[in-house]
Amino acid sequence: MRWQGGRTGGGIEDRRGMGGGAIAGGGIGVTVIALIGYFVFGIDPNTTQQVASQFGGAGAAQQQGAVGTPQDQAGRFVDVIGANVNDVWTAKIQGYQPPKTVIYEQGTPTGCGFGQSAMGPFYCPTDQTVYLDLGFWREMETQLGASGADFARAYVIAHEFGHHVQTLTGASQQVRQAQQRAAGEAQANRYSVALELQADCYAGVWAANAAAVSNGQVALEAGDLQEGMRTAQAIGDDTLQRRGGGRVSPESFTHGSSAQRVEWLQRGYQSGDPAACDTFQGL
């Protein structure tokens, strides 16, 4: 993936090295294995506060890291990709307001409670912030077989920004209301799946438009889309359930099957149009 020449946004809050604390009751490796099937790649923003509070309390004191463009390559990558995603959505949505982005290690206070690396990358609608522990990507690659390619990691970022778009459009709030009216957990989960698949589709929309808004400075190269689909395949609910040794239980899916995640990433990329990302039809 081409990105080194892309513009930086300069708005990354870097909390790495500030000390976030470990997860109570076990090390990160154990916790990631236990929780990755539910949290990886975009926890449902409607339940972030409930879940994050279980990992350290919602009343944790706020931290403030350095804001700007990180000097290391991993941090700069987040800044360039985030700026490019924002440029795409600025062109697509009138009045678009970018989310904040925080990079951290192990754990950090958020508007939705105390966020932990084991939750995976996530978006908090309360403070409209994307939270990324960059070390979690290594867990996805080593534990799940997800791709380590730049585009696969950019897909993670774009997916979380997709949840921000859903907050701005009201889709997240509508899902929360529908889940409250749902007849049972299985029906409520279908709304969660639709929300997550739409965020996958929005990631594809970004990828399709990245080059156009950056004069080609941020762009996919040969094989990049395949690497993104490899990651989508690796983190489908059915694949994760099989990896965990359990029964594949579609009624318990919260993010979608591997095939669905690949399909909606492709659909967003092929159309380049957020209007093609209506994952809620038929619900």
Side-chain angles (χ1 to χ4, degrees):
M1 179 179 183
R2 188 163 60 250
W3 67 271
Q4 296 280 7
R7 79 170 187 90
T8 56
I12 303 297
E13 182 182 343
D14 192 348
R15 298 182 187 175
R16 292 174 295 178
M18 297 183 68
I23 302 171
I28 186 170
V30 174
T31 307
V32 166
I33 296 303
L35 299 179
I36 204 166
Y38 185 83
F39 295 125
V40 71
F41 234 69
I43 180 173
D44 179 350
N46 295 321
T47 61
T48 303
Q49 183 167 353
Q50 173 187 348
V51 176
S53 299
Q54 297 173 6
F55 289 95
Q62 289 297 308
Q63 289 179 317
Q64 179 66 49
V67 178
T69 297
Q71 297 304 301
D72 63 299
Q73 180 162 304
R76 189 172 182 277
F77 176 78
V78 171
D79 195 8
V80 170
I81 298 302
N84 186 255
V85 175
N86 283 328
D87 288 344
V88 168
W89 287 113
T90 296
K92 296 291 184 183
I93 299 178
Q94 186 175 5
Y96 174 79
Q97 293 295 319
K100 298 177 183 177
T101 303
V102 170
I103 53 179
Y104 69 99
E105 294 173 326
Q106 295 188 338
T108 193
T110 83
C112 295
F114 195 80
Q116 290 279 7
S117 177
M119 295 169 59
F122 67 96
Y123 170 73
C124 173
T126 303
D127 57 15
Q128 296 194 4
T129 301
V130 172
Y131 290 91
L132 302 167
D133 183 327
L134 306 189
F136 192 80
W137 283 330
R138 290 191 297 273
E139 297 285 346
M140 287 205 306
E141 293 154 23
T142 59
Q143 302 292 346
L144 298 180
S147 172
D150 284 340
F151 175 67
R153 296 184 174 199
Y155 165 30
V156 176
I157 297 169
H159 175 103
E160 298 311 323
F161 276 61
H163 284 312
H164 178 63
V165 172
Q166 291 169 328
T167 294
L168 297 181
T169 62
S172 293
Q173 297 88 326
Q174 290 169 8
V175 164
R176 182 170 62 250
Q177 293 168 3
Q179 288 177 320
Q180 291 171 347
R181 298 191 301 266
E185 183 177 357
Q187 184 179 19
N189 284 343
R190 287 198 291 273
Y191 286 102
S192 176
V193 167
L195 200 70
E196 295 297 336
L197 294 178
Q198 186 176 63
D200 280 341
C201 187
Y202 284 166
V205 170
W206 157 71
N209 291 278
V213 300
S214 66
N215 293 319
Q217 295 301 305
V218 178
L220 273 64
E221 297 177 313
D224 281 337
L225 184 62
Q226 287 70 27
E227 292 300 313
M229 291 191 294
R230 172 184 161 190
T231 295
Q233 176 76 25
I235 47 78
D237 285 325
D238 53 340
T239 299
L240 291 169
Q241 288 178 355
R242 289 190 193 96
R243 181 179 290 271
R247 178 180 65 88
V248 174
S249 176
E251 66 274 9
S252 68
F253 289 179
T254 57
H255 288 64
S257 69
S258 292
Q260 287 175 314
R261 300 200 73 162
V262 168
E263 174 191 352
W264 284 100
L265 173 62
Q266 286 183 299
R267 190 174 300 194
Y269 181 74
Q270 290 168 354
S271 69
D273 183 0
C277 297
D278 184 4
T279 56
F280 296 95
Q281 282 187 337
L283 289 180

